[in-house]
Amino acid sequence: MSRINFSILSVAAISPFAVQAQEGGIASETGASKELPNVVMIYADDLGLGDLECYGAIGVKTPNINNLASNGLRFTNAHAVASTSTPSRYSLLTGEYPWRKQGTDVAAGDAAMIVSPEQYTVADVFKEAGYTTAAFGKWHLGLGAESGRQDWNSVLSPALADIGFDYSYIMAATADRVPCVFIENGKVANYDPTAPIYVSYRHNFEGEPTGRSNPELLYNLKHSHGHDMSIVNGIGRIGYMKGGGTALWKDENIADSITCKAVDFIKANSEQPFFIYFATNDIHVPRFPHPRFRGASSMGLRGDAIAQFDWCVGEIVNALEEQGLLENTLIILTSDNGPVLDDGYDDKAEELVGSHSPTGGLRGGKYSTFEGGTRVPFIVHWPARIKKGGVRTGLVSQIDFLDVMAAITGKKAAPGMRSFSPDGDCSQLGAWMGEEGAGRPFAVEMAANHTLSLILFNWKYIEPKGGPAMVPWGPKIETGYSKEPQLFKRVNGEFDETKNLADENPTMLDALKNLLEGVRNNRKYFMEFQ
Ligand code: NG6
Ligand code: CA
């Protein structure tokens, strides 16, 4: 196996693979609460690094999230594992890189379950530790045994109960994909027997209007690209569906629905530890927030959706506080990928963005391999354990979520082991809890076309794979794809992704390239460095 010579790296005073002893985890540490914390993962959709007020947003206020940051920790160098949803979510819940498994790209609404019941998930981690577990909101990881063969009028199997969730109230895919109904514990919620549900991603159902054929029916939101198939609630979608009746969601109520369900769950489960995966539709398209948030920002529907997201966070925090649980609840707030303005609907996101920078000044965005693709807000709040008000610049990746949670529940790693998942690292616990100077030495990310990039300390490598310079189907985003290898260096703490230093630094280029190959070919590669 080729080894990296760390001495060639221009970094000072970093002990790359310092491993924390995992004896007993948080639960038995002195000074920390003896009780296991509740854990709430708040997973926003398409929320960029610059989209929250506490990260410099202009034109929208996010007081509830600002409070979490000022009473907890705010990370400035945290990454989703991919620059789109399904692969990032797959990695978050399983600790496995998405590029190791086929079929983890942006999933259709009739995709089969992508996480198989045999896989070990973060929900399983919590179940083992005696938690009650629940998932709310956007799922986007498939349901049922076979793609396109689900019977939406019956119980879907496998579903979330088969991968560790005791309770679930979810959207099968995204709000812009059919079926447009909530699914509660594997069954359509509020099922309307007078309107059986049929779904196809291949053909329309006879007599059903589409956004393409009947644009006059798009009374709520018109599409800008794509999204011209079935019409639900006056909005065109991806895919075709028929039926649903009173079970069909109204987009303006999605945030209220999932928040109410999560708050109910908190109230009903206040006596025992719980894990909540709260995955919002906000601020994904179609952005159609409730009327009470209209005009909350100066940026139109996209900014108003951020305000709505902030409200959801506030409701969850209030519910925890009311139950006396806030002190010993670990809340993590982050996003599945970077931001996009026009992602297929005429919501005026581009026209109204003003001087706000959704990426916080980074290059690229959703779909891309530049920093804007995967660098996301990341806030950790846990009053019982974490000192408040800190900002951390260490490298953090969502690939470690399962492992860090395992460490928190006190799960013991076998001697020499650092991972309960294929690719995560439980020794990142310290970094997630705010230990000064801690963080990953490296992180791997995947762009929409599967180009991988690797960050190692102050360097970033983007593998040469080729592809269009701009996202080709509508969003005005630079992809970062190139046939040439790209190597960028951090300057004053931030990568300058305009200066490709590959030619000038062949040794460094080789080091990063070899490390990426090592990770690609060997799941536990990084653990063998020590
Ligand atoms: C794209 C959609 C986009 C969004 C994305 C997935 C079109 C033209 N665009 O294909 O609107 O749904 O897929 O986004 O259909 S994600 O955040 O769930 O990955
Ligand atoms: Ca997303």
Side-chain angles (χ1 to χ4, degrees):
M1 185 196 299
S2 63
R3 300 243 162 200
I4 306 292
N5 176 2
F6 278 101
S7 63
I8 64 169
L9 300 167
S10 58
V11 282
I14 294 177
S15 63
F17 297 102
V19 185
Q20 272 205 334
Q22 292 304 307
E23 300 290 306
I26 292 289
S28 63
E29 279 184 20
T30 46
S33 168
K34 295 273 182 256
E35 280 172 51
L36 288 174
N38 305 300
V39 176
V40 181
M41 165 54 88
I42 301 176
Y43 210 46
D45 199 342
D46 297 357
L47 188 76
L49 183 70
D51 275 329
L52 299 171
E53 207 181 359
C54 50
Y55 281 89
I58 300 168
V60 62
K61 300 216 176 309
T62 54
N64 293 303
I65 301 169
N66 300 348
N67 275 341
L68 283 186
S70 56
N71 293 312
L73 293 168
R74 187 170 68 83
F75 291 75
T76 60
N77 197 7
H79 285 262
V81 181
S83 58
T84 55
S85 155
T86 303
S88 281
R89 284 160 209 264
Y90 177 79
S91 296
L92 183 82
L93 298 183
T94 66
E96 180 173 61
Y97 289 122
W99 36 268
R100 296 212 194 278
K101 175 146 165 162
Q102 289 235 314
T104 56
D105 285 317
V106 174
D110 65 350
M113 274 269 284
I114 292 169
V115 182
S116 66
E118 295 74 45
Q119 282 181 270
Y120 188 54
T121 69
V122 71
D124 291 326
V125 166
F126 285 112
K127 287 299 302 167
E128 275 178 9
Y131 281 60
T132 306
T133 56
F136 300 92
K138 175 169 173 174
W139 182 237
H140 213 190
L141 286 166
L143 291 166
E146 215 179 320
S147 294
R149 291 288 180 94
Q150 298 89 345
D151 179 356
W152 299 94
N153 306 290
S154 169
V155 179
L156 298 157
S157 175
L160 279 70
D162 300 290
I163 59 165
F165 288 102
D166 294 314
Y167 176 78
S168 56
Y169 183 82
I170 54 158
M171 308 157 74
T174 60
D176 59 344
R177 285 173 175 75
V178 300
C180 300
V181 288
F182 285 106
I183 294 164
E184 188 167 27
N185 295 332
K187 281 190 290 194
V188 169
N190 300 323
Y191 182 72
D192 182 348
T194 68
I197 298 168
Y198 303 96
V199 171
S200 171
Y201 274 72
R202 293 175 175 209
H203 59 79
N204 192 17
F205 298 95
E206 218 183 306
E208 294 295 312
T210 65
R212 201 175 317 151
S213 60
N214 295 76
E216 75 284 2
L217 299 179
L218 301 172
Y219 55 84
N220 272 331
L221 212 49
K222 299 195 187 336
H223 50 267
S224 55
H225 57 265
H227 304 103
D228 58 359
M229 292 167 241
S230 284
I231 300 172
V232 176
N233 192 30
I235 298 175
R237 313 282 165 165
I238 307 171
Y240 302 101
M241 82 175 286
K242 178 183 162 126
T246 53
L248 292 172
W249 68 51
K250 290 218 180 297
D251 300 72
E252 54 272 46
N253 295 334
I254 290 173
D256 281 336
S257 299
I258 61 170
T259 304
C260 283
K261 292 285 180 182
V263 166
D264 286 350
F265 179 88
I266 291 169
K267 287 183 183 159
N269 290 279
S270 57
E271 299 297 320
Q272 70 271 38
F274 54 76
F275 165 57
I276 291 177
Y277 173 64
F278 184 77
T280 62
N281 166 55
D282 291 318
I283 59 167
H284 196 276
V285 296
R287 302 175 185 121
F288 202 68
H290 190 271
R292 69 185 188 280
F293 298 106
R294 302 294 170 90
S297 78
S298 63
M299 294 187 280
L301 293 170
R302 185 176 185 277
D304 297 351
I306 296 175
Q308 178 169 271
F309 173 64
D310 183 72
W311 173 84
C312 297
V313 173
E315 289 301 293
I316 288 178
V317 170
N318 290 344
L320 292 166
E321 200 155 25
E322 273 168 32
Q323 299 300 314
L325 301 174
L326 191 59
E327 179 77 7
N328 196 28
T329 296
L330 164 60
I331 301 174
I332 301 173
L333 184 150
T334 186
S335 172
D336 67 338
N337 52 251
V340 53
L341 292 175
D342 178 356
D343 205 16
Y345 291 94
D346 182 18
D347 56 16
K348 305 278 182 285
E350 277 177 12
E351 293 87 331
L352 298 174
V353 71
S355 50
H356 171 78
S357 172
T359 61
L362 300 173
R363 197 165 178 191
K366 179 175 179 177
Y367 307 111
S368 86
T369 189
F370 286 136
E371 285 291 279
T374 57
R375 188 96 78 79
V376 284
F378 193 93
I379 294 169
V380 177
H381 181 272
W382 183 5
R385 158 93 187 176
I386 287 174
K387 278 197 227 130
K388 60 182 185 179
V391 176
R392 293 292 177 273
T393 56
L395 182 61
V396 165
S397 168
Q398 292 174 9
I399 196 74
D400 296 322
F401 181 50
L402 183 154
D403 285 280
V404 169
M405 294 304 108
I408 278 177
T409 64
K411 194 173 164 75
K412 292 202 176 57
M417 285 292 297
R418 307 203 9 211
S419 182
F420 302 100
S421 71
D423 294 301
D425 178 358
C426 58
S427 76
Q428 290 306 309
L429 172 67
W432 288 46
M433 296 299 111
E435 198 181 288
E436 297 277 358
R440 283 189 147 251
F442 76 91
V444 178
E445 297 112 30
M446 184 181 86
N449 81 342
H450 286 211
T451 295
L452 297 187
S453 59
L454 175 120
I455 294 170
L456 179 64
F457 299 114
N458 287 335
W459 294 87
K460 173 170 174 173
Y461 165 67
I462 300 177
E463 66 174 352
K465 195 174 161 78
M470 299 294 291
V471 173
W473 61 84
K476 296 184 187 65
I477 294 175
E478 292 180 297
T479 61
Y481 305 155
S482 170
K483 285 204 182 83
E484 305 300 325
Q486 296 172 83
L487 184 71
F488 302 115
K489 191 173 182 188
R490 245 186 250 283
V491 179
N492 299 327
E494 193 51 79
F495 289 115
D496 179 357
E497 291 187 301
T498 63
K499 277 199 198 86
N500 184 1
L501 302 174
D503 289 344
E504 296 156 43
N505 294 274
T507 319
M508 188 61 64
L509 182 68
D510 267 2
L512 272 76
K513 192 169 149 233
N514 289 341
L515 177 56
L516 181 59
E517 284 318 297
V519 175
R520 204 195 309 261
N521 299 327
N522 179 350
R523 288 165 193 264
K524 306 290 182 192
Y525 187 77
F526 67 92
M527 289 174 223
E528 295 171 20
F529 272 131
Q530 302 168 59

PDB file of all heavy atoms in Angstrom, residues 444-467:
ATOM      1  N   VAL A 444     -13.467  13.255   1.884  1.00  0.00           N
ATOM      2  CA  VAL A 444     -13.731  12.949   0.470  1.00  0.00           C
ATOM      3  C   VAL A 444     -15.164  13.360   0.157  1.00  0.00           C
ATOM      4  O   VAL A 444     -16.074  13.071   0.933  1.00  0.00           O
ATOM      5  CB  VAL A 444     -13.554  11.434   0.195  1.00  0.00           C
ATOM      6  CG1 VAL A 444     -13.872  11.115  -1.265  1.00  0.00           C
ATOM      7  CG2 VAL A 444     -12.151  10.985   0.555  1.00  0.00           C
ATOM      8  N   GLU A 445     -15.357  14.027  -0.969  1.00  0.00           N
ATOM      9  CA  GLU A 445     -16.712  14.430  -1.376  1.00  0.00           C
ATOM     10  C   GLU A 445     -16.982  14.031  -2.817  1.00  0.00           C
ATOM     11  O   GLU A 445     -16.062  13.902  -3.609  1.00  0.00           O
ATOM     12  CB  GLU A 445     -16.871  15.952  -1.283  1.00  0.00           C
ATOM     13  CG  GLU A 445     -16.722  16.506   0.082  1.00  0.00           C
ATOM     14  CD  GLU A 445     -15.480  17.342   0.203  1.00  0.00           C
ATOM     15  OE1 GLU A 445     -15.068  17.950  -0.806  1.00  0.00           O
ATOM     16  OE2 GLU A 445     -14.905  17.361   1.301  1.00  0.00           O
ATOM     17  N   MET A 446     -18.270  13.877  -3.101  1.00  0.00           N
ATOM     18  CA  MET A 446     -18.671  13.458  -4.448  1.00  0.00           C
ATOM     19  C   MET A 446     -19.591  14.499  -5.084  1.00  0.00           C
ATOM     20  O   MET A 446     -20.558  14.938  -4.458  1.00  0.00           O
ATOM     21  CB  MET A 446     -19.399  12.120  -4.364  1.00  0.00           C
ATOM     22  CG  MET A 446     -19.765  11.550  -5.713  1.00  0.00           C
ATOM     23  SD  MET A 446     -20.643   9.986  -5.578  1.00  0.00           S
ATOM     24  CE  MET A 446     -22.319  10.587  -5.383  1.00  0.00           C
ATOM     25  N   ALA A 447     -19.305  14.841  -6.324  1.00  0.00           N
ATOM     26  CA  ALA A 447     -20.168  15.769  -7.070  1.00  0.00           C
ATOM     27  C   ALA A 447     -21.234  14.977  -7.828  1.00  0.00           C
ATOM     28  O   ALA A 447     -21.205  13.741  -7.869  1.00  0.00           O
ATOM     29  CB  ALA A 447     -19.333  16.593  -8.040  1.00  0.00           C
ATOM     30  N   ALA A 448     -22.148  15.715  -8.477  1.00  0.00           N
ATOM     31  CA  ALA A 448     -23.293  15.073  -9.127  1.00  0.00           C
ATOM     32  C   ALA A 448     -22.865  14.050 -10.179  1.00  0.00           C
ATOM     33  O   ALA A 448     -23.524  13.034 -10.365  1.00  0.00           O
ATOM     34  CB  ALA A 448     -24.197  16.128  -9.750  1.00  0.00           C
ATOM     35  N   ASN A 449     -21.746  14.288 -10.866  1.00  0.00           N
ATOM     36  CA  ASN A 449     -21.322  13.319 -11.901  1.00  0.00           C
ATOM     37  C   ASN A 449     -20.310  12.306 -11.350  1.00  0.00           C
ATOM     38  O   ASN A 449     -19.607  11.665 -12.111  1.00  0.00           O
ATOM     39  CB  ASN A 449     -20.745  14.052 -13.122  1.00  0.00           C
ATOM     40  CG  ASN A 449     -19.299  14.473 -12.911  1.00  0.00           C
ATOM     41  OD1 ASN A 449     -18.807  14.524 -11.785  1.00  0.00           O
ATOM     42  ND2 ASN A 449     -18.602  14.778 -13.994  1.00  0.00           N
ATOM     43  N   HIS A 450     -20.235  12.217 -10.044  1.00  0.00           N
ATOM     44  CA  HIS A 450     -19.360  11.267  -9.346  1.00  0.00           C
ATOM     45  C   HIS A 450     -17.890  11.661  -9.341  1.00  0.00           C
ATOM     46  O   HIS A 450     -17.046  10.860  -8.959  1.00  0.00           O
ATOM     47  CB  HIS A 450     -19.509   9.837  -9.884  1.00  0.00           C
ATOM     48  CG  HIS A 450     -20.770   9.183  -9.454  1.00  0.00           C
ATOM     49  ND1 HIS A 450     -20.892   7.830  -9.245  1.00  0.00           N
ATOM     50  CD2 HIS A 450     -21.986   9.693  -9.176  1.00  0.00           C
ATOM     51  CE1 HIS A 450     -22.121   7.543  -8.876  1.00  0.00           C
ATOM     52  NE2 HIS A 450     -22.809   8.668  -8.834  1.00  0.00           N
ATOM     53  N   THR A 451     -17.561  12.863  -9.786  1.00  0.00           N
ATOM     54  CA  THR A 451     -16.187  13.327  -9.589  1.00  0.00           C
ATOM     55  C   THR A 451     -15.923  13.384  -8.090  1.00  0.00           C
ATOM     56  O   THR A 451     -16.732  13.930  -7.334  1.00  0.00           O
ATOM     57  CB  THR A 451     -16.002  14.746 -10.172  1.00  0.00           C
ATOM     58  OG1 THR A 451     -16.172  14.680 -11.583  1.00  0.00           O
ATOM     59  CG2 THR A 451     -14.627  15.308  -9.852  1.00  0.00           C
ATOM     60  N   LEU A 452     -14.816  12.807  -7.660  1.00  0.00           N
ATOM     61  CA  LEU A 452     -14.469  12.871  -6.240  1.00  0.00           C
ATOM     62  C   LEU A 452     -13.440  13.965  -6.008  1.00  0.00           C
ATOM     63  O   LEU A 452     -12.575  14.214  -6.856  1.00  0.00           O
ATOM     64  CB  LEU A 452     -13.893  11.537  -5.762  1.00  0.00           C
ATOM     65  CG  LEU A 452     -14.802  10.309  -5.822  1.00  0.00           C
ATOM     66  CD1 LEU A 452     -14.137   9.117  -5.150  1.00  0.00           C
ATOM     67  CD2 LEU A 452     -16.161  10.573  -5.200  1.00  0.00           C
ATOM     68  N   SER A 453     -13.549  14.596  -4.867  1.00  0.00           N
ATOM     69  CA  SER A 453     -12.500  15.520  -4.457  1.00  0.00           C
ATOM     70  C   SER A 453     -12.035  15.131  -3.065  1.00  0.00           C
ATOM     71  O   SER A 453     -12.782  14.480  -2.320  1.00  0.00           O
ATOM     72  CB  SER A 453     -12.988  16.968  -4.494  1.00  0.00           C
ATOM     73  OG  SER A 453     -14.091  17.124  -3.657  1.00  0.00           O
ATOM     74  N   LEU A 454     -10.827  15.493  -2.761  1.00  0.00           N
ATOM     75  CA  LEU A 454     -10.262  15.144  -1.467  1.00  0.00           C
ATOM     76  C   LEU A 454      -9.592  16.363  -0.859  1.00  0.00           C
ATOM     77  O   LEU A 454      -8.788  17.035  -1.517  1.00  0.00           O
ATOM     78  CB  LEU A 454      -9.222  14.023  -1.644  1.00  0.00           C
ATOM     79  CG  LEU A 454      -8.490  13.659  -0.351  1.00  0.00           C
ATOM     80  CD1 LEU A 454      -8.708  12.212   0.009  1.00  0.00           C
ATOM     81  CD2 LEU A 454      -7.008  13.933  -0.475  1.00  0.00           C
ATOM     82  N   ILE A 455      -9.948  16.637   0.377  1.00  0.00           N
ATOM     83  CA  ILE A 455      -9.277  17.707   1.116  1.00  0.00           C
ATOM     84  C   ILE A 455      -8.312  17.042   2.086  1.00  0.00           C
ATOM     85  O   ILE A 455      -8.696  16.088   2.777  1.00  0.00           O
ATOM     86  CB  ILE A 455     -10.299  18.547   1.907  1.00  0.00           C
ATOM     87  CG1 ILE A 455     -11.219  19.305   0.957  1.00  0.00           C
ATOM     88  CG2 ILE A 455      -9.586  19.517   2.856  1.00  0.00           C
ATOM     89  CD1 ILE A 455     -12.391  19.961   1.648  1.00  0.00           C
ATOM     90  N   LEU A 456      -7.086  17.503   2.098  1.00  0.00           N
ATOM     91  CA  LEU A 456      -6.118  17.025   3.076  1.00  0.00           C
ATOM     92  C   LEU A 456      -5.432  18.249   3.666  1.00  0.00           C
ATOM     93  O   LEU A 456      -4.677  18.933   2.965  1.00  0.00           O
ATOM     94  CB  LEU A 456      -5.106  16.086   2.407  1.00  0.00           C
ATOM     95  CG  LEU A 456      -4.014  15.518   3.306  1.00  0.00           C
ATOM     96  CD1 LEU A 456      -4.587  14.611   4.394  1.00  0.00           C
ATOM     97  CD2 LEU A 456      -2.981  14.757   2.473  1.00  0.00           C
ATOM     98  N   PHE A 457      -5.745  18.511   4.906  1.00  0.00           N
ATOM     99  CA  PHE A 457      -5.225  19.705   5.562  1.00  0.00           C
ATOM    100  C   PHE A 457      -5.437  20.937   4.677  1.00  0.00           C
ATOM    101  O   PHE A 457      -6.564  21.278   4.378  1.00  0.00           O
ATOM    102  CB  PHE A 457      -3.755  19.527   5.955  1.00  0.00           C
ATOM    103  CG  PHE A 457      -3.558  18.398   6.929  1.00  0.00           C
ATOM    104  CD1 PHE A 457      -2.851  17.263   6.574  1.00  0.00           C
ATOM    105  CD2 PHE A 457      -4.108  18.461   8.204  1.00  0.00           C
ATOM    106  CE1 PHE A 457      -2.679  16.222   7.469  1.00  0.00           C
ATOM    107  CE2 PHE A 457      -3.950  17.424   9.096  1.00  0.00           C
ATOM    108  CZ  PHE A 457      -3.236  16.302   8.731  1.00  0.00           C
ATOM    109  N   ASN A 458      -4.339  21.541   4.218  1.00  0.00           N
ATOM    110  CA  ASN A 458      -4.478  22.806   3.490  1.00  0.00           C
ATOM    111  C   ASN A 458      -4.555  22.652   1.984  1.00  0.00           C
ATOM    112  O   ASN A 458      -4.401  23.628   1.245  1.00  0.00           O
ATOM    113  CB  ASN A 458      -3.314  23.734   3.848  1.00  0.00           C
ATOM    114  CG  ASN A 458      -3.484  24.284   5.250  1.00  0.00           C
ATOM    115  OD1 ASN A 458      -4.606  24.358   5.756  1.00  0.00           O
ATOM    116  ND2 ASN A 458      -2.383  24.661   5.876  1.00  0.00           N
ATOM    117  N   TRP A 459      -4.811  21.422   1.530  1.00  0.00           N
ATOM    118  CA  TRP A 459      -4.831  21.197   0.090  1.00  0.00           C
ATOM    119  C   TRP A 459      -6.132  20.519  -0.325  1.00  0.00           C
ATOM    120  O   TRP A 459      -6.713  19.755   0.438  1.00  0.00           O
ATOM    121  CB  TRP A 459      -3.640  20.324  -0.321  1.00  0.00           C
ATOM    122  CG  TRP A 459      -2.324  21.014  -0.119  1.00  0.00           C
ATOM    123  CD1 TRP A 459      -1.594  21.029   1.037  1.00  0.00           C
ATOM    124  CD2 TRP A 459      -1.626  21.800  -1.070  1.00  0.00           C
ATOM    125  NE1 TRP A 459      -0.463  21.784   0.861  1.00  0.00           N
ATOM    126  CE2 TRP A 459      -0.454  22.263  -0.433  1.00  0.00           C
ATOM    127  CE3 TRP A 459      -1.850  22.153  -2.404  1.00  0.00           C
ATOM    128  CZ2 TRP A 459       0.479  23.063  -1.085  1.00  0.00           C
ATOM    129  CZ3 TRP A 459      -0.930  22.944  -3.048  1.00  0.00           C
ATOM    130  CH2 TRP A 459       0.230  23.392  -2.392  1.00  0.00           C
ATOM    131  N   LYS A 460      -6.541  20.777  -1.536  1.00  0.00           N
ATOM    132  CA  LYS A 460      -7.723  20.115  -2.081  1.00  0.00           C
ATOM    133  C   LYS A 460      -7.423  19.634  -3.496  1.00  0.00           C
ATOM    134  O   LYS A 460      -6.915  20.383  -4.328  1.00  0.00           O
ATOM    135  CB  LYS A 460      -8.914  21.079  -2.100  1.00  0.00           C
ATOM    136  CG  LYS A 460     -10.131  20.498  -2.816  1.00  0.00           C
ATOM    137  CD  LYS A 460     -11.375  21.328  -2.621  1.00  0.00           C
ATOM    138  CE  LYS A 460     -12.509  20.775  -3.483  1.00  0.00           C
ATOM    139  NZ  LYS A 460     -13.781  21.448  -3.208  1.00  0.00           N
ATOM    140  N   TYR A 461      -7.779  18.394  -3.726  1.00  0.00           N
ATOM    141  CA  TYR A 461      -7.552  17.770  -5.036  1.00  0.00           C
ATOM    142  C   TYR A 461      -8.897  17.411  -5.645  1.00  0.00           C
ATOM    143  O   TYR A 461      -9.759  16.838  -4.966  1.00  0.00           O
ATOM    144  CB  TYR A 461      -6.694  16.510  -4.821  1.00  0.00           C
ATOM    145  CG  TYR A 461      -6.640  15.551  -5.980  1.00  0.00           C
ATOM    146  CD1 TYR A 461      -6.021  15.918  -7.178  1.00  0.00           C
ATOM    147  CD2 TYR A 461      -7.177  14.268  -5.877  1.00  0.00           C
ATOM    148  CE1 TYR A 461      -5.949  15.018  -8.239  1.00  0.00           C
ATOM    149  CE2 TYR A 461      -7.099  13.369  -6.928  1.00  0.00           C
ATOM    150  CZ  TYR A 461      -6.490  13.749  -8.113  1.00  0.00           C
ATOM    151  OH  TYR A 461      -6.416  12.870  -9.153  1.00  0.00           O
ATOM    152  N   ILE A 462      -9.074  17.754  -6.904  1.00  0.00           N
ATOM    153  CA  ILE A 462     -10.267  17.315  -7.637  1.00  0.00           C
ATOM    154  C   ILE A 462      -9.796  16.388  -8.747  1.00  0.00           C
ATOM    155  O   ILE A 462      -8.957  16.769  -9.575  1.00  0.00           O
ATOM    156  CB  ILE A 462     -11.048  18.504  -8.234  1.00  0.00           C
ATOM    157  CG1 ILE A 462     -11.501  19.451  -7.104  1.00  0.00           C
ATOM    158  CG2 ILE A 462     -12.263  18.008  -9.028  1.00  0.00           C
ATOM    159  CD1 ILE A 462     -12.222  20.701  -7.583  1.00  0.00           C
ATOM    160  N   GLU A 463     -10.301  15.180  -8.745  1.00  0.00           N
ATOM    161  CA  GLU A 463      -9.807  14.208  -9.718  1.00  0.00           C
ATOM    162  C   GLU A 463     -10.237  14.602 -11.134  1.00  0.00           C
ATOM    163  O   GLU A 463     -11.285  15.202 -11.332  1.00  0.00           O
ATOM    164  CB  GLU A 463     -10.290  12.798  -9.378  1.00  0.00           C
ATOM    165  CG  GLU A 463     -11.778  12.613  -9.489  1.00  0.00           C
ATOM    166  CD  GLU A 463     -12.208  11.167  -9.289  1.00  0.00           C
ATOM    167  OE1 GLU A 463     -11.354  10.280  -9.213  1.00  0.00           O
ATOM    168  OE2 GLU A 463     -13.424  10.935  -9.226  1.00  0.00           O
ATOM    169  N   PRO A 464      -9.409  14.251 -12.126  1.00  0.00           N
ATOM    170  CA  PRO A 464      -9.727  14.614 -13.511  1.00  0.00           C
ATOM    171  C   PRO A 464     -10.728  13.625 -14.087  1.00  0.00           C
ATOM    172  O   PRO A 464     -10.422  12.459 -14.281  1.00  0.00           O
ATOM    173  CB  PRO A 464      -8.370  14.475 -14.219  1.00  0.00           C
ATOM    174  CG  PRO A 464      -7.601  13.484 -13.392  1.00  0.00           C
ATOM    175  CD  PRO A 464      -8.105  13.574 -11.991  1.00  0.00           C
ATOM    176  N   LYS A 465     -11.920  14.088 -14.318  1.00  0.00           N
ATOM    177  CA  LYS A 465     -12.946  13.195 -14.844  1.00  0.00           C
ATOM    178  C   LYS A 465     -13.605  13.806 -16.076  1.00  0.00           C
ATOM    179  O   LYS A 465     -14.163  13.127 -16.907  1.00  0.00           O
ATOM    180  CB  LYS A 465     -13.983  12.964 -13.736  1.00  0.00           C
ATOM    181  CG  LYS A 465     -14.912  11.790 -13.969  1.00  0.00           C
ATOM    182  CD  LYS A 465     -15.778  11.594 -12.726  1.00  0.00           C
ATOM    183  CE  LYS A 465     -17.015  10.789 -13.016  1.00  0.00           C
ATOM    184  NZ  LYS A 465     -16.738   9.355 -13.116  1.00  0.00           N
ATOM    185  N   GLY A 466     -13.534  15.123 -16.165  1.00  0.00           N
ATOM    186  CA  GLY A 466     -14.151  15.816 -17.300  1.00  0.00           C
ATOM    187  C   GLY A 466     -15.629  16.049 -17.074  1.00  0.00           C
ATOM    188  O   GLY A 466     -16.203  15.564 -16.103  1.00  0.00           O
ATOM    189  N   GLY A 467     -16.214  16.791 -18.001  1.00  0.00           N
ATOM    190  CA  GLY A 467     -17.636  17.122 -17.883  1.00  0.00           C
ATOM    191  C   GLY A 467     -17.838  18.594 -18.150  1.00  0.00           C
ATOM    192  O   GLY A 467     -16.865  19.364 -18.199  1.00  0.00           O
TER     193      GLY A 467
END
